[in-house]
Amino acid sequence: MDWNGLLDGMTGIVRDTFGEPFTYTRLETGETITHSVATGEELRGIYDPAWSPEQDGTALRVSASIPVLDVKLSDLGFEPATKDQLTVNGVNYQVNDKIPSSSGMMKLHLRKR
C-alpha cells in the first residue's frame, strides 16, 4: 500500500472513531447531503465547538475560539465553499473559511446562523 492509501485509511478510522454526524447543504446547487458519496454511510466529521488557533510569535498573545468541522473530502465528493451551510449536533452553521490538508481532509471554520 502506498503512503496516500495508508493515510486515507487512517483518516477514515479517525473520522469513524471521533466523528459526529452532520448534514451539508451546498449554496451553489441547494442540494443537501446526508451520506458519504464514497461509502454510502452517514456523513461524519470531527467537530470541535471551540477550536483555538495558535497565535505564538506575536508580542501580544491573542485568544479566540471558533467552531470547526474536519471533513474528509472524498465523503463529500466536492470541495466545500464558503457560505455553504451545515448542521452538526442540532446547530446550524455557515462555512466561513476552509483550510485544506494534504491528508485529504479539510478544516471548515464555521459561523452560527
Side-chain angles (χ1 to χ4, degrees):
M1 178 178 282
D2 68 350
W3 171 250
N4 289 333
L6 183 60
L7 187 57
D8 187 55
M10 290 172 40
T11 58
I13 291 168
V14 171
R15 177 212 49 222
D16 293 345
T17 303
F18 301 106
E20 299 283 341
F22 70 97
T23 60
Y24 193 98
T25 303
R26 298 180 73 182
L27 180 66
E28 179 182 15
T29 64
E31 176 186 18
T32 297
I33 300 158
T34 59
H35 290 78
S36 167
V37 297
T39 67
E41 297 175 4
E42 180 179 54
L43 278 178
R44 297 182 75 78
I46 302 167
Y47 175 66
D48 186 346
W51 179 78
S52 182
E54 292 293 323
Q55 298 291 328
D56 291 331
T58 61
L60 177 63
R61 185 153 174 91
V62 177
S63 178
S65 66
I66 57 171
V68 298
L69 184 71
D70 283 302
V71 298
K72 193 170 180 184
L73 293 175
S74 63
D75 284 341
L76 293 175
F78 58 88
E79 185 170 314
T82 57
K83 299 188 181 178
D84 282 354
Q85 299 175 1
L86 59 90
T87 301
V88 62
N89 288 340
V91 180
N92 297 319
Y93 294 100
Q94 178 175 298
V95 176
N96 198 39
D97 193 14
K98 55 188 184 162
I99 301 173
S101 163
S102 62
S103 67
M105 302 284 284
M106 183 174 281
K107 185 177 295 296
L108 304 178
H109 293 193
L110 307 174
R111 181 174 56 205
K112 273 188 184 179
R113 294 184 302 142

